[in-house]
Amino acid sequence: MTTEQIDGFLAAIPLPAVLVDQTERIIAANTEGATLLGQGILGRHFATILRQPSVATAIEACLRDKTPKTAKHLSNDGAQDTTFAVTLRYVPGIGAVGGGAVLACFDDITERQQAGQMRRDFVANVSHELRTPLTALIGFIETLRGPAREDAQARDRFLGIMEGEASRMNRLVGDLLSLNRVESEERVRPKEQVDLKGHLSSTLKTLSPVAEARGVEMELDAAEETVSITGDPDQLQQVFTNLVENAVKYGGDKVQVVLTYSERDPAVRAPAARVQVIDNGSGIDPVHLPRLTERFYRADSHRSREMGGTGLGLAIVKHIINRHRGRLRVESELGQGSVFTVILPV
């Protein structure tokens, strides 16, 4: 087989690929392979290019045994670490004096590994969040069946705590189901017309008992004219309820909701409505801001659990806003309060 034919076959492979012959030198590479491993690799000994022991050992074994091998190659694309599954196959009759060569193909499995890690982390987090109230419930049940069997005062106190723990598990399961439903619909564009001012007014009215109980003043600042967008009314209500309720619980004694409209918003490069939920609370340490929308991430885990939070609210908000092709912005400084901004294209 001629060099031109070899190059043609490698060019037809959609993955980064290189050929290593019996002299242990790279005799051919496609464009993707040269981009991954570097230009000027032809004629070089493979060990000077693929320096990872597992890959080098697999290539040597494939040249020697002429049997398929696999390995993992770790790299970095400049933004993050990447992982490639390297598949090695022996090709007879090519290379130096027709002695055969090894074809190495590099399959980027970074996203698969990240998805697997996210799944493991998610299961671990759910297990942890459920184990705590379950352990409490089991402990109180054992106590009620034993030492506190005849103690009416202790029984009433324990039953109250058990009700709280059961409600916490119920909220967690509800948020998990909601998150799953929102994720499944994320690529489906909503089609209904939604009056944002009406929705925000309804949200504040619904949450007024919670605000009054905590001594929090709520205020809606909206333009007189109606601002309508194409959206899912229930999901947008969920977004506003979550953000305003968080502000009421964690944001000091005043919460202001501001609705504005712009003919061209730079965030979405189109006409858009902005809903800002502003509080005057203690603020959030900037170190937490990039991770606030991660599942189960809490800037103050102890306080969040005391308030009945599940750590999933902002993750749900993020997915709903993504479905509406919008943006979520969070600005906060310690001691200066927080501003959560939802930008929705009109």
Side-chain angles (χ1 to χ4, degrees), residues 234-264:
D234 293 336
Q235 288 190 348
L236 289 175
Q237 189 82 33
Q238 192 173 5
V239 167
F240 302 142
T241 299
N242 188 291
L243 294 179
V244 175
E245 188 175 21
N246 281 351
V248 168
K249 287 181 177 179
Y250 310 112
D253 59 4
K254 184 175 181 179
V255 175
Q256 185 179 19
V257 180
V258 180
L259 171 62
T260 56
Y261 170 77
S262 172
E263 289 289 348
R264 180 172 175 80

Side-chain angles (χ1 to χ4, degrees), residues 260-334:
T260 56
Y261 170 77
S262 172
E263 289 289 348
R264 180 172 175 80
D265 194 296
V268 294
R269 299 179 181 179
R274 283 193 175 220
V275 177
Q276 292 179 294
V277 180
I278 307 167
D279 67 62
N280 64 348
S282 57
I284 304 168
D285 192 320
V287 72
H288 297 297
L289 297 184
R291 301 188 61 190
L292 281 182
T293 57
E294 291 182 14
R295 299 172 183 178
F296 298 109
Y297 187 83
R298 297 177 172 95
D300 185 344
S301 58
H302 178 69
R303 188 179 176 201
S304 174
R305 287 191 176 93
E306 279 189 341
M307 296 288 191
T310 62
L312 293 172
L314 289 179
I316 294 171
V317 165
K318 181 189 72 172
H319 284 291
I320 292 174
I321 293 173
N322 286 345
R323 184 191 177 199
H324 288 75
R325 305 300 188 267
R327 303 287 187 273
L328 175 65
R329 301 281 186 266
V330 185
E331 302 166 84
S332 185
E333 291 183 21
L334 287 176

Side-chain angles (χ1 to χ4, degrees), residues 28-320:
N30 61 8
T31 302
E32 292 82 358
T35 301
L36 173 64
L37 301 176
Q39 304 298 326
I41 61 175
L42 297 184
R44 300 273 299 276
H45 193 286
F46 75 85
T48 64
I49 305 299
L50 300 165
R51 299 181 181 182
Q52 295 169 33
S54 61
V55 180
T57 301
I59 291 175
E60 289 171 351
C62 190
L63 284 170
R64 182 180 63 250
D65 304 336
K66 300 179 176 56
T67 56
K69 304 291 181 186
T70 57
K72 280 189 179 179
H73 174 75
L74 306 179
S75 183
N76 188 292
D77 62 5
Q80 64 174 353
D81 292 332
T82 54
T83 304
F84 291 86
V86 186
T87 304
L88 304 171
R89 294 292 185 270
Y90 185 78
V91 183
I94 61 175
V97 296
V102 168
L103 174 65
C105 293
F106 296 77
D107 183 14
D108 189 347
I109 59 172
T110 307
E111 288 190 3
R112 276 175 271 170
Q113 287 206 322
Q114 289 174 342
Q117 186 61 48
M118 287 174 61
R119 185 172 60 252
R120 289 190 292 272
D121 290 344
F122 183 70
V123 171
N125 282 322
V126 171
S127 301
H128 173 74
E129 294 290 337
L130 287 174
R131 184 180 292 117
T132 303
L134 278 173
T135 301
L137 285 173
I138 292 169
F140 286 127
I141 289 170
E142 290 177 351
T143 305
L144 288 172
R145 296 178 68 180
R149 182 190 298 269
E150 306 300 332
D151 188 337
Q153 186 176 358
R155 183 172 63 246
D156 290 342
R157 183 164 60 89
F158 290 164
L159 286 173
I161 298 173
M162 291 168 68
E163 182 183 18
E165 296 295 339
S167 297
R168 179 177 160 191
M169 284 195 294
N170 189 50
R171 285 194 300 272
L172 177 60
V173 171
D175 279 354
L176 286 170
L177 291 173
S178 180
L179 181 61
N180 180 67
R181 183 169 58 253
V182 168
E183 284 186 321
S184 67
E185 296 174 347
E186 190 167 348
R187 296 185 182 278
V188 180
R189 293 297 298 272
K191 297 179 180 179
E192 297 183 51
Q193 286 297 306
V194 178
D195 173 14
L196 289 181
K197 185 176 179 180
H199 257 52
L200 292 170
S201 178
S202 173
T203 299
L204 266 59
K205 185 175 181 180
T206 301
L207 292 174
S208 59
V210 179
E212 290 172 5
R214 297 181 180 276
V216 177
E217 178 188 350
M218 295 190 300
E219 176 185 324
L220 174 60
D221 181 2
E224 290 299 322
E225 65 271 11
T226 299
V227 179
S228 296
I229 69 164
T230 303
D232 184 310
D234 293 336
Q235 288 190 348
L236 289 175
Q237 189 82 33
Q238 192 173 5
V239 167
F240 302 142
T241 299
N242 188 291
L243 294 179
V244 175
E245 188 175 21
N246 281 351
V248 168
K249 287 181 177 179
Y250 310 112
D253 59 4
K254 184 175 181 179
V255 175
Q256 185 179 19
V257 180
V258 180
L259 171 62
T260 56
Y261 170 77
S262 172
E263 289 289 348
R264 180 172 175 80
D265 194 296
V268 294
R269 299 179 181 179
R274 283 193 175 220
V275 177
Q276 292 179 294
V277 180
I278 307 167
D279 67 62
N280 64 348
S282 57
I284 304 168
D285 192 320
V287 72
H288 297 297
L289 297 184
R291 301 188 61 190
L292 281 182
T293 57
E294 291 182 14
R295 299 172 183 178
F296 298 109
Y297 187 83
R298 297 177 172 95
D300 185 344
S301 58
H302 178 69
R303 188 179 176 201
S304 174
R305 287 191 176 93
E306 279 189 341
M307 296 288 191
T310 62
L312 293 172
L314 289 179
I316 294 171
V317 165
K318 181 189 72 172
H319 284 291
I320 292 174

